[in-house]
Amino acid sequence: MKRSMMSAAILSLVLSADGFAQQAENYDYWAPQRAMVQRGQQAVFMCNGLFTSQRTLEQVFSQELAFLRAPIGTALGGDYHVDYERRAVEVGTPGAVPVMRAAFRDGIGCIILAPDQTLADIDELPELTLPLPAGDPAQIPWPDGDLIEPQPLPASIDAGALQAASDWAFNRPTPEQDTLSLIVVYQGQIIHERYADGIDMDTRTRTWSTAKSIASTLIGMTVDQGLMALDEPLGLDWLPQSGSAGSDPRRDITLRHALNMSTGLESIDNGGMEYATGSGLSYWAGSSSVQGALARAQIREPGTRWDYENYDTLLAIYAMKLALGGENTYAEFPRKALLDRIGMRNTLVSTDRFGDFILSSQVYTNARDLARFGLLYLNNGVWDGERLISEDWIEFSRTPAPATVGRGSQYGGQWWLVPEGRDDIPADAYSTNGNRGQYTVVVPSHDLVIVRRGLDYGRQGFSQWDLTREVVKAVNQGN
């Protein structure tokens, strides 16, 4: 009798008023995959830090890996292995979570291997052996090269205000905002250049999503050539394949939708899943950057909602690959069409292990190359008297995506725009924006380009618009 009464009491505690047990979805079913992704992140960060950025293990652990919640090991050692001869890194030990590996490849940077691959598979990974342009950049005048003759500041620049802006960028109220470099270009000339300890003009670091603006530029070049069109469907074979492909609603998604982050496809890289699934698997775990992008479901009408997704950019990049035709043409296109033509010799555009560009994030470059990139836009697409990007494409890049109008108008064609209501900076400014504080800001009305590179971590919070406000204070408003 007592046992029956006790059972009834327990039952009453777990049943709701209508008689059904109340359950909460608390278990993280993705925990093993998150652990794999974190190992992959560390492998990529360490590999690029050592072999792309040419930094020491101490520097890698103190700055690159500060982004991770729980890095494995320390600069003194741990459950990782650096193979200096093969320019590769292995992170973790065999077990429930696989060992993750990344290897440096010439002309590309570090590529993450699949969990079932070993360093014996390195030779099968893509590489780019295209020679660099002729000439020594140290002997070629800026901006095509790095030769800069000392000269006084223009009379229209307030030296004190410029130094104050620089100090504002470097002397942050929190160590989590870690400025590596700052370049200010005025009227085409570098008027301020500053680097943190351990960083110099040759140091490459990851652009994160600043790469999206580079991707958009390359795509714009294919549009200018007539190989793609903004308002035509992407023309992709969507996954999963089915016998009714002709009725797939995704066939109506255009290039404009993808570049405006408004495809209407299912959101995967948000909601706490960005380091468990989605594009994170191609960034950090060796999966295809294309296959995952093609497999998202349509959940709303294209163009009706802005949703920042790496996969939208990757879809546009894959469409560009198909438009260019030919693996070699595609592999060499960023260098031949853009980078080599404007002196971006230090820039590596990385791929996944299948040879597809991860131009949504995985580019390594230095501050001067990003200053050149910004200067191309400041010059309205013209470089050394030759038009590389059409004015129409630059206008598209700077025009708010329709789905953002009235809701911030903060995003254009893979470029970020001054948010609505912000009146303390020039309204015509626009910017790249990458995680950990990667910004290239173009301010046409003030003839300015501002580049800030960072290795921010934690809550971050560095604002490129606040930096723009501070730099503009140094420029004579009458010029």
Side-chain angles (χ1 to χ4, degrees):
M1 180 67 176
K2 289 182 178 179
R3 183 176 180 181
S4 298
M5 291 176 64
M6 184 177 294
S7 298
I10 293 174
L11 187 63
S12 68
L13 293 175
V14 298
L15 294 184
S16 65
D18 57 7
F20 290 100
Q22 296 299 296
Q23 293 286 309
E25 188 72 86
N26 295 323
Y27 186 78
D28 184 4
Y29 292 94
W30 296 96
Q33 198 149 302
R34 292 183 199 277
M36 176 186 68
V37 166
Q38 176 153 331
R39 287 187 178 188
Q41 276 190 295
Q42 181 165 339
V44 172
F45 288 168
M46 291 181 69
C47 179
N48 275 311
L50 292 170
F51 304 116
T52 302
S53 303
Q54 299 295 315
R55 309 195 80 198
T56 66
L57 264 178
E58 290 76 12
Q59 291 170 326
V60 168
F61 269 91
S62 67
Q63 290 186 302
E64 269 86 357
L65 300 188
F67 184 73
L68 301 180
R69 291 184 178 180
I72 293 174
T74 69
L76 299 177
D79 289 335
Y80 64 85
H81 171 67
V82 179
D83 189 324
Y84 286 94
E85 182 177 352
R86 289 194 277 191
R87 297 181 294 180
V89 174
E90 300 176 288
V91 175
T93 55
V97 180
V99 176
M100 298 304 293
R101 302 170 176 89
F104 180 88
R105 300 296 284 167
D106 287 332
I108 291 177
C110 291
I111 296 176
I112 187 73
L113 281 73
D116 61 348
Q117 291 182 308
T118 69
L119 298 187
D121 297 300
I122 289 177
D123 290 342
E124 304 303 316
L125 298 175
E127 63 180 350
L128 182 63
T129 56
L130 186 67
L132 287 171
D136 178 1
Q139 304 302 319
I140 300 172
W142 167 267
D144 296 289
D146 288 321
L147 178 63
I148 297 178
E149 298 291 345
Q151 54 186 322
L153 280 176
S156 55
I157 298 296
D158 183 329
L162 183 60
Q163 185 61 47
S166 179
D167 292 341
W168 183 94
F170 277 85
N171 303 333
R172 304 305 301 150
T174 167
E176 294 183 353
Q177 295 175 13
D178 188 6
T179 298
L180 301 183
S181 55
L182 176 68
I183 292 180
V184 178
V185 178
Y186 177 65
Q187 296 182 344
Q189 298 302 313
I190 294 177
I191 62 169
H192 186 81
E193 185 171 22
R194 180 175 173 181
Y195 298 97
D197 291 341
I199 300 292
D200 60 34
M201 59 176 280
D202 296 317
T203 305
R204 297 168 172 146
T205 53
R206 185 184 180 95
T207 64
W208 294 86
S209 288
T210 276
K212 292 179 170 69
S213 303
I214 298 174
S216 177
T217 304
L218 294 167
I219 291 167
M221 289 176 164
T222 66
V223 171
D224 290 342
Q225 294 171 24
L227 300 177
M228 302 176 76
L230 264 176
D231 294 309
E232 290 183 3
L234 292 174
L236 306 177
D237 293 328
W238 298 96
L239 297 176
Q241 294 178 341
S242 67
S244 58
S247 62
D248 193 322
R250 295 174 293 183
R251 73 189 189 282
D252 295 327
I253 297 173
T254 67
L255 180 60
R256 186 187 299 271
H257 293 142
L259 296 179
N260 280 164
M261 295 290 188
S262 306
T263 61
L265 296 175
E266 177 187 9
S267 179
I268 294 180
D269 281 340
N270 298 310
M273 297 301 291
E274 55 268 36
Y275 295 108
T277 184
S279 63
L281 295 183
S282 57
Y283 286 9
W284 319 115
S287 70
S288 166
S289 62
V290 170
Q291 296 299 305
L294 292 171
R296 287 191 295 157
Q298 186 93 44
I299 61 172
R300 61 179 63 87
E301 190 73 19
T304 60
R305 179 177 173 182
W306 183 81
D307 182 22
Y308 190 83
E309 284 281 335
N310 294 320
Y311 270 151
D312 279 7
T313 305
L314 292 170
L315 285 173
I317 294 164
Y318 182 55
M320 180 185 75
K321 177 181 182 179
L322 299 180
L324 288 171
E327 292 290 340
N328 286 340
T329 300
Y330 170 71
E332 296 178 353
F333 186 67
R335 285 272 310 277
K336 289 185 173 180
L338 176 64
L339 305 181
D340 290 357
R341 296 170 78 178
I342 67 172
M344 291 180 69
R345 298 166 183 255
N346 280 286
T347 301
L348 297 181
V349 181
S350 298
T351 72
D352 61 19
R353 63 189 177 95
F354 303 94
D356 288 303
F357 288 120
I358 309 182
L359 261 164
S360 53
S361 179
Q362 183 77 343
V363 173
Y364 271 72
T365 189
N366 63 0
R368 281 200 177 184
D369 273 11
L370 289 181
R372 293 179 177 95
F373 178 64
L375 189 56
L376 173 64
Y377 274 80
L378 185 68
N379 291 338
N380 211 25
V382 174
W383 193 270
D384 287 340
E386 181 182 6
R387 177 162 294 284
L388 302 187
I389 317 167
S390 69
E391 293 182 86
D392 287 344
W393 190 261
I394 292 178
E395 184 63 24
F396 161 71
S397 302
R398 298 172 53 190
T399 299
T404 70
V405 175
R407 302 174 59 186
S409 295
Q410 79 283 10
Y411 199 77
Q414 306 281 288
W415 286 78
W416 291 81
L417 313 177
V418 177
E420 289 176 344
R422 183 102 194 218
D423 59 5
D424 58 341
I425 49 177
D428 65 342
Y430 57 111
S431 174
T432 73
N433 188 334
N435 200 0
R436 306 194 72 175
Q438 320 310 316
Y439 304 118
T440 300
V441 185
V442 181
V443 191
S445 59
H446 288 67
D447 216 348
L448 278 173
V449 172
I450 306 163
V451 175
R452 187 265 185 176
R453 309 301 311 280
L455 280 175
D456 301 346
Y457 60 97
R459 298 184 66 180
Q460 301 184 42
F462 190 100
S463 168
Q464 80 270 41
W465 304 125
D466 289 350
L467 174 61
T468 302
R469 176 198 64 212
E470 297 304 309
V471 173
V472 165
K473 292 176 182 178
V475 181
N476 188 327
Q477 301 286 333
N479 282 270

